[in-house]
Every structure is written in C-alpha cells, then in structure tokens.
Amino acid sequence: MNYIQQAYKGHPDFWRYIIGSVIAIIGVGIFSMPHMIAIFAKKMNGEVDLAQLSDINYLLTLFESNENLVYLLLPFAGGLLFLLLAVKFLHKQSFVSLTTARQKIDWKRVFSMFFVWGILSSSLVLVDYYMAPEGYQWNFQPQKFAILAVIAIILVPLQTSFEEYAFRGYLMQGLGVLAKNRWVPLVLTSVCFGLLHISNPEIEKLGYILLVYYIGTGFFLAIMTLMDEGLELALGFHAANNLFTALLVTADWTAFQTYSIFKDVSEPEAAGFFDIFLPVFIIFPIILLVLGKIYGWKNWKDKLFGPIVEPPKEDYKVLD
C-alpha cells in the first residue's frame, strides 16, 4: 500500500476530513487564548490600540520577542494535538499510517534530513553574510538567545509538524482518496500551503512574488512525500528550515522576530533570485534528484500523477 492508501487503514469518509479539519482549527483557537488574554490584559492597562489589532506587524510589537514567539507558536501545538486526536478517534487511524507507508516511522530519515538541510541552509546564510556583511548586524545576546533556543527547540518542531501532518499528511490522504488520484492532492495541498502564508509580514515587504517561494516549497515537500511514501523527509526538512532560521537570522519585517545571532538590515525589496528563485528552481530540484538516487525513487510519473485505488480488504483492517 502506498502512502495515500494508508487512509484506508482508518475511516476515509470525506465528511470525517471536514469535521477533523474543524477540530484542528478549534485546537488552534483554544491554544491562541493565552495570547488573547495577554492582549486583553494590556488593553485593560491602556497599552493597546484597538484600531491596529488587525495589523500583524503591530501585534508583533506588543510583547517582548521571546514572549511573542511563544504566543505565535502555541496555536500550532494545539492544532497538532487536536488533529492527531481527530485521526485517532474520528478516523480510527494510527499515527504511523498517517506518517508513513512503512511498517514503522523511519526516524533516521527525519534526523538525516534535519541535519543536512540545517547545515546547508545555515551555510547559505553565512556565505551571504561574508559576501555582503553590510546587510547584517550582530544581534547575539547570550541570555536572551538561550531562552530563545529552549523555546524554539520545543515549539518550532511542533509548528512545522502541524503544517506537515495537516497538509502533506491529513489533507494529502483525504484528497487523494476523494479524487482517486495523486495529482489533485499534490497541487491543492501545495497551493493552499503557499496561500496560507499570504498574511505573513514578509509578503507586505517583498510583495506577492514571495508566494512563488511558499507555493514552490509546498510542491517540493509534497513531491518528497509522495516519492518517498511518507512524511519523514518533509518533517525533517521543515523543522530544520524554521528552527535554524529562528536561531540564526531575524529581521524587523519577518514573522519570526527573534533574539537570533544575526539581524538582516538589508533592504527587503532587494530580495529576488537568491531568496526566491534559487531555492525553488535550482536547489529544491537538485535535492529531489539526490534523494531519488539515495532512496532509489522510481516511477516518478505514476507516483506523482497516477490513480489511487482502494486496496483489497485483506490488505488492511479498520479498527472500530
């Protein structure tokens, strides 16, 4: 059974996916309450301009950076928890079958991709720093950085795991079973993942062209998941991408405003080929080709665009 077919090990009725998505959103809302309570407390002290609460850049200035990061990431932890509860109790599907088509989760894949991409992405930042040091400012504050590291190491993987399990896991399987093919979930989850970032402050500064990067990253992770028959590589990549970014470099116009080692003080309008097109059209395809060689990926056309058929009943058992 391939990765999308793992949905048949539970109850794959599409109405359950609709309810499960609502449950996950409820989890996001519940875990957003500490932030709302903190904002309300500031409002009672007259420290909040209600007219600006819809401006994410304003919200990011209400609290100290590490506190802001906790408030930013907690809702994703809630979404992940409630999503997994929906999978277990609503779909009667196991955590393993939501994660991979293998008999058990391959943690070696997760951590290998985490460290490889963490080192590579950090190296790209350092290369840019040495090529254009005027665009960076030393931002390291040991005590605040240590607190940041604890927060980020705990919460960033929960944030990225929620996005992976929601898009490349839950919706990928649900849409695949509904559409009876692979290309519909490949396209829809990738585009929706990219558009989910449309309210990020980076979009305001860099323009909608940045959606090329977000949607392109969605396609990259979706292709990786379908070709490898599991989420492990995508989980490792996404966690490394966000964690190392949070620790290494920040800017006044990003969603992750942290006590990182460096601060990007260059003109954001200058972003172009290096920041958007190089990763999507050169680096990501190279990574996919290398991974294909390492893991022996074959039948690319069928795995990305082929049909999804319900396997014989004897191949799986639904737990009631």
Side-chain angles (χ1 to χ4, degrees):
M1 292 174 64
N2 62 48
Y3 177 63
I4 290 179
Q5 287 176 319
Q6 298 299 305
Y8 288 107
K9 291 183 176 179
H11 294 291
D13 315 272
F14 196 69
W15 65 264
R16 295 178 191 266
Y17 285 95
I18 296 174
I19 294 176
S21 299
V22 172
I23 290 172
I25 293 171
I26 290 172
V28 170
I30 291 174
F31 278 64
S32 298
M33 289 181 67
H35 194 195
M36 297 177 191
I37 293 170
I39 291 174
F40 180 75
K42 279 187 171 287
K43 174 184 175 297
M44 296 301 291
N45 291 329
E47 301 175 43
V48 174
D49 183 354
L50 294 178
Q52 296 191 62
L53 281 181
S54 60
D55 183 354
I56 189 170
N57 291 300
Y58 175 71
L59 287 175
L60 291 173
T61 65
L62 287 179
F63 303 96
E64 179 266 344
S65 275
N66 282 333
E67 189 177 357
N68 259 330
L69 189 62
V70 173
Y71 291 141
L72 180 67
L73 297 177
L74 263 183
F76 294 94
L80 178 62
L81 174 62
F82 276 59
L83 177 65
L84 296 181
L85 289 174
V87 170
K88 179 176 177 61
F89 295 107
L90 181 63
H91 293 271
K92 306 292 185 181
Q93 185 180 355
S94 71
F95 178 63
V96 172
S97 64
L98 179 66
T99 306
T100 185
R102 286 169 271 276
Q103 293 297 312
K104 59 181 181 180
I105 298 172
D106 188 345
W107 292 106
K108 183 178 178 181
R109 272 173 156 85
V110 177
F111 289 110
S112 295
M113 177 55 77
F114 176 84
F115 286 112
V116 167
W117 181 244
I119 293 170
L120 179 57
S121 60
S122 299
S123 299
L124 291 174
V125 172
L126 293 176
V127 167
D128 189 49
Y129 170 73
Y130 283 108
M131 289 178 62
E134 69 279 0
Y136 292 89
Q137 184 180 88
W138 186 252
N139 193 53
F140 184 64
Q141 302 176 60
Q143 184 175 356
K144 292 180 178 180
F145 179 83
I147 297 172
L148 163 66
V150 172
I151 294 169
I153 290 169
I154 294 173
L155 291 180
V156 167
L158 295 179
Q159 176 243 327
T160 57
S161 293
F162 173 57
E163 293 185 1
E164 290 310 308
Y165 277 105
F167 287 94
R168 261 68 64 178
Y170 193 66
L171 293 179
M172 180 77 78
Q173 290 185 348
L175 289 169
V177 168
L178 177 68
K180 304 298 182 185
N181 61 51
R182 293 171 172 83
W183 70 266
V184 167
L186 168 63
V187 173
L188 288 184
T189 60
S190 302
V191 173
C192 289
F193 173 78
L195 294 179
L196 186 71
H197 296 79
I198 201 167
S199 62
N200 281 22
E202 293 93 331
I203 295 292
E204 181 181 340
K205 288 294 182 181
L206 301 178
Y208 290 109
I209 188 66
L210 190 56
L211 289 176
V212 171
Y213 172 79
Y214 288 128
I215 293 174
T217 301
F219 273 101
F220 166 67
L221 293 169
I223 291 170
M224 186 186 296
T225 298
L226 290 175
M227 291 305 304
D228 199 50
E229 302 291 4
L231 282 177
E232 292 98 333
L233 295 174
L235 286 167
F237 177 92
H238 202 163
N241 189 70
N242 288 24
L243 179 59
F244 281 82
T245 298
L247 296 176
L248 191 59
V249 62
T250 188
D252 289 334
W253 41 269
T254 62
F256 275 12
Q257 294 183 21
T258 66
Y259 293 112
S260 57
I261 296 174
F262 296 107
K263 184 175 182 178
D264 186 345
V265 294
S266 63
E267 286 297 321
E269 292 80 5
F273 177 79
F274 185 82
D275 299 293
I276 299 172
F277 297 101
L278 177 65
V280 172
F281 296 107
I282 297 179
I283 295 177
F284 291 169
I286 291 174
I287 291 174
L288 289 173
L289 290 174
V290 171
L291 290 173
K293 291 290 185 181
I294 294 173
Y295 294 113
W297 295 347
K298 297 178 180 178
N299 302 321
W300 288 66
K301 182 178 179 180
D302 182 64
K303 283 196 171 186
L304 298 180
F305 304 103
I308 295 295
V309 296
E310 182 174 357
K313 294 289 185 182
E314 59 268 19
D315 287 355
Y316 64 96
K317 179 182 179 181
V318 178
L319 299 176
D320 292 312

